[in-house]
Amino acid sequence: RSPINQLAAVYRGRGRGRNEAYLEFAQEHFLDWLRLEGLFEDDAVIFKGGTAIRKFVLGKEGRFSTDLDFVVADPIYADHILERLGQRLTHEGVTFVLDKYDAAARKGTWHAETAEHGSSLPASLDFSSRPLLLPATYPERARIPGIERRFLGFEPVSPPVADLLETVAEKLSRFRRSMLGRDVYCLASVSRRIDERLAPLPQPHCLHAYRAPAANGRDPLPLPSHPPTAPPRPPPRTAPR
């Protein structure tokens, strides 16, 4: 059996979920290529978002995410990656094809191709140059059956990962602009993992809530210069005679 079918059978059963297995297989190859390029050294590129939560926090219990999200220390790293993808980068038999590319936003859509399995599901790729508020972490891999050397041909990569507390704060701040079911699911899944760390959450939450709109050219809501005062009470009603 091919590695894709083996992976699908291991974590979904009876070969179901082949499309998701294929994309997860491709994601791991992409992360391994980033490692070989030295892009995870000195936190030049930091992994974040829903796919990072699945691979490093929730494991097989997590929602399968197609997106790959990163923070880069300098936009030149994102430009290098997207340029290489535009040249049909091949790593360990997997070819990555850049379908769409927004140069200004440093976002794109890609898919993988192999001789045996054809094209994978399309997926988005996003790079942010806004610095993280909290230091990157270096967690161990969460357990996902099939994401291991005997299926991949190499050890799963352990890149620098955005602090889970900051990821939660970023998802909460996005609720002010749009409420996505996938974010609700992720937050519900990870909430019990950060109970002991909830005290400092309001600070990164507020900073993300006001920073993101400004970075996207929108005016954030103004911060109050003084505590709001309660509205005046209406005069008491007199009973009719």
Side-chain angles (χ1 to χ4, degrees):
R1 271 190 311 182
S2 71
I4 303 299
N5 291 337
Q6 288 176 339
L7 180 58
V10 164
Y11 81 85
R12 297 294 291 272
R14 300 182 181 179
R16 291 175 296 179
R18 177 185 174 281
N19 289 336
E20 291 84 355
Y22 186 9
L23 184 55
E24 185 138 47
F25 180 80
Q27 289 174 346
E28 294 295 336
H29 279 70
F30 183 69
L31 292 173
D32 191 57
W33 176 78
L34 293 176
R35 176 188 65 82
L36 290 176
E37 288 286 294
L39 293 167
F40 292 138
E41 297 176 6
D42 300 322
D43 296 350
V45 176
I46 299 173
F47 197 18
K48 69 166 189 170
T51 302
I53 289 177
R54 170 178 164 81
K55 292 183 182 296
F56 291 92
V57 181
L58 299 176
K60 65 179 181 179
E61 304 301 326
R63 176 187 66 86
F64 179 78
S65 175
T66 63
D67 303 342
L68 291 176
D69 301 300
F70 300 94
V71 176
V72 293
D74 190 295
I76 194 172
Y77 298 119
D79 294 338
H80 168 71
I81 295 168
L82 291 166
E83 180 181 357
R84 290 295 308 277
L85 287 175
Q87 300 168 354
R88 295 181 63 90
L89 163 72
T90 298
H91 176 63
E92 297 290 332
V94 179
T95 299
F96 301 94
V97 181
L98 190 62
D99 301 314
K100 297 179 181 179
Y101 172 38
D102 184 335
R106 293 186 171 86
K107 296 181 179 181
T109 302
W110 65 279
H111 72 271
E113 296 178 358
T114 62
E116 183 177 1
H117 299 285
S119 298
S120 73
L121 294 171
S124 70
L125 183 64
D126 181 88
F127 296 95
S128 172
S129 57
R130 294 197 300 271
L132 294 173
L133 301 174
L134 301 176
T137 62
Y138 303 88
E140 294 183 358
R141 281 283 186 140
R143 174 66 175 156
I144 300 178
I147 302 300
E148 50 195 285
R149 174 183 282 275
R150 65 191 178 107
F151 290 105
L152 300 172
F154 51 83
E155 290 293 337
V157 180
S158 293
V161 179
D163 191 294
L164 180 59
L165 190 66
E166 179 153 10
T167 299
V168 169
E170 186 174 348
K171 288 185 177 294
L172 285 172
S173 72
R174 188 157 58 191
F175 280 4
R176 298 177 65 251
R177 306 186 298 278
S178 61
M179 182 175 291
L180 301 177
R182 65 188 186 188
D183 288 341
V184 174
Y185 183 90
C186 280
L187 289 169
S189 300
V190 303
S191 60
R192 58 184 177 275
R193 309 288 184 103
I194 60 170
D195 285 347
E196 71 282 2
R197 302 182 62 198
L198 287 178
L201 179 60
Q203 182 177 8
H205 173 210
C206 289
L207 290 174
H208 273 288
Y210 282 88
R211 183 172 69 167
N216 293 327
R218 300 191 303 269
D219 291 331
L221 294 175
L223 288 170
S225 57
H226 53 78
T229 57
R233 293 183 178 181
R237 296 176 61 184
T238 56
R241 293 182 179 179

